[in-house]
Amino acid sequence: MALDLLPVVSATGGACCTPLTRDAITEQAAVGLSQVLKALADPARLRLLSLIASHDGAEACVCDLTEPVGLSQPTVSHHLKVLVDAGLVTRDKRGVWAYYALVPGALDAVTHQLGTHLTAGAAS
Amino acid sequence: MALDLLPVVSATGGACCTPLTRDAITEQAAVGLSQVLKALADPARLRLLSLIASHDGAEACVCDLTEPVGLSQPTVSHHLKVLVDAGLVTRDKRGVWAYYALVPGALDAVTHQLGTHLTAGAAS
DNA sequence: CTCAGACATTGACATCTGTCGATATTGACA
DNA sequence: TGTCAATATCGACAGATGTCAATGTCTGAG
C-alpha cells in the first residue's frame, strides 16, 4: 500500500492549537493517582486522617474517631477501610482495639505527583 | 433535676484512647478541601489538567484536548466545567475557540492544606 | 441573512458512593 | 464455656457521578 506516501495533512487551517512542550501524564498513571485522590476526596475521610495525625504518635483507634466525626461506627469502619486500601493509613489490631496510623510519605507521594504532572513548566 | 450531680463517668476503664496533640481540620474546611479534591479525583480530569499544563503558555483549547483523552466532546466540555467550578482552570473564549488555562497557585493551595492538616506533627 | 463550525447544555442511563441498621467476628475475662 | 465489648461485614437504599446522543448557542465567513 502506497497510502503512507500521501500527505495526510487534514488541513486544519492553522487554527487554535498551541504546541506541546512535553508529554502529559499517562492514562495508567492518571488512573492510579485518581484512586488515591478519590480516597482523599471526602470530608469524613479528611477529618479521619486529620484526627489520626492529631493524635500522639500519629495513630488512633476507632473509638477515638467515631464520636468526633459524628457518623455511625460501621460508616467510620468503612471509611477507614477505604483509606487503608488507598495506602494512606495502616491498621494494627492490638487486642480488642484497632489502631490506625498514617503511612509516612504516602501523602508526599501524592502531592509530588500532582506537582510533577500538573504544574506549568515542571520538567521532571 | 438533680441528675447533673451524678458522676456520669461511664467508666470506660482507661482503655485505648491516645491523647490529642492539636486540633483536627474543621468540618467546614474538610468540605471545602474535599470539593477541590473531588474535581481532581478523576483520570480524565487529571489528563486534561496535565495536557493543559503541557501546552505552551499553560493553556489549550478544547480541540487540543478532545482527541488525546479519547472522550466525546460533550464529556470533555463537562469535565472542563468541573475544573473551572473548582477554581483549578480558567476559561477564556477568543472568537470561536475556548481556551482553558491553569490557575497559578491553585494546586499549591491544595497541597499546602493537605500538608498542614494531614501530616503528623505539622503545626501551623 | 444564511451557513458552517466550535463549544455548551440537556436528558437519559448505568454505575459508583456514602450512609445506616442488622448481624457476624474476634478477643478478653470470669 | 459463656458473656460482653470493640470492630468488621452485609444488605439495602438514596443520591451523586461519568458518559453519550441530541440539541442549542454563538461567532465568523460569504
Side-chain angles (χ1 to χ4, degrees):
Chain A
M1 323 183 178
L3 285 180
D4 51 7
L5 293 180
L6 295 175
V8 201
V9 291
S10 83
T12 53
C16 57
C17 306
T18 56
L20 273 169
T21 59
R22 58 176 164 124
D23 283 346
I25 191 174
T26 65
E27 171 71 21
Q28 187 176 354
V31 169
L33 182 53
S34 73
Q35 283 172 348
V36 184
L37 289 170
K38 275 181 202 295
L40 288 171
D42 182 273
R45 289 196 286 271
L46 286 178
R47 298 208 69 197
L48 287 172
L49 284 171
S50 180
L51 282 166
I52 294 172
S54 300
H55 271 80
D56 202 23
E59 75 168 15
C61 77
V62 181
C63 61
D64 287 324
L65 304 172
T66 305
E67 183 268 336
V69 296
L71 294 172
S72 71
Q73 175 266 319
T75 301
V76 172
S77 197
H78 160 70
H79 283 308
L80 289 169
K81 178 176 169 53
V82 172
L83 293 173
V84 170
D85 291 346
L88 292 168
V89 305
T90 57
R91 195 181 92 108
D92 178 28
K93 188 146 194 179
R94 296 204 289 270
V96 189
W97 296 290
Y99 288 83
Y100 287 86
L102 296 186
V103 171
L107 204 65
D108 284 345
V110 174
T111 58
H112 180 259
Q113 279 210 55
L114 288 177
T116 298
H117 295 291
L118 271 54
T119 300
S124 74
Chain B
M1 324 179 182
L3 285 180
D4 50 6
L5 293 179
L6 295 175
V8 201
V9 292
S10 83
T12 53
C16 58
C17 305
T18 54
L20 273 170
T21 58
R22 57 171 164 129
D23 284 345
I25 191 174
T26 64
E27 171 70 21
Q28 187 176 353
V31 170
L33 182 54
S34 72
Q35 284 173 349
V36 185
L37 288 169
K38 274 183 203 296
L40 287 171
D42 181 275
R45 289 195 286 271
L46 286 177
R47 297 208 70 197
L48 288 173
L49 284 171
S50 180
L51 281 166
I52 294 172
S54 301
H55 271 80
D56 201 23
E59 75 169 15
C61 75
V62 182
C63 61
D64 286 324
L65 304 171
T66 305
E67 183 268 338
V69 296
L71 294 172
S72 71
Q73 175 265 318
T75 302
V76 171
S77 196
H78 161 70
H79 283 308
L80 289 169
K81 178 177 169 52
V82 172
L83 292 173
V84 170
D85 291 345
L88 293 168
V89 305
T90 57
R91 194 180 93 107
D92 178 29
K93 187 146 194 178
R94 296 204 288 272
V96 188
W97 295 291
Y99 287 84
Y100 287 85
L102 294 186
V103 171
L107 204 66
D108 284 346
V110 174
T111 58
H112 179 258
Q113 279 210 56
L114 288 176
T116 299
H117 296 291
L118 271 52
T119 301
S124 72

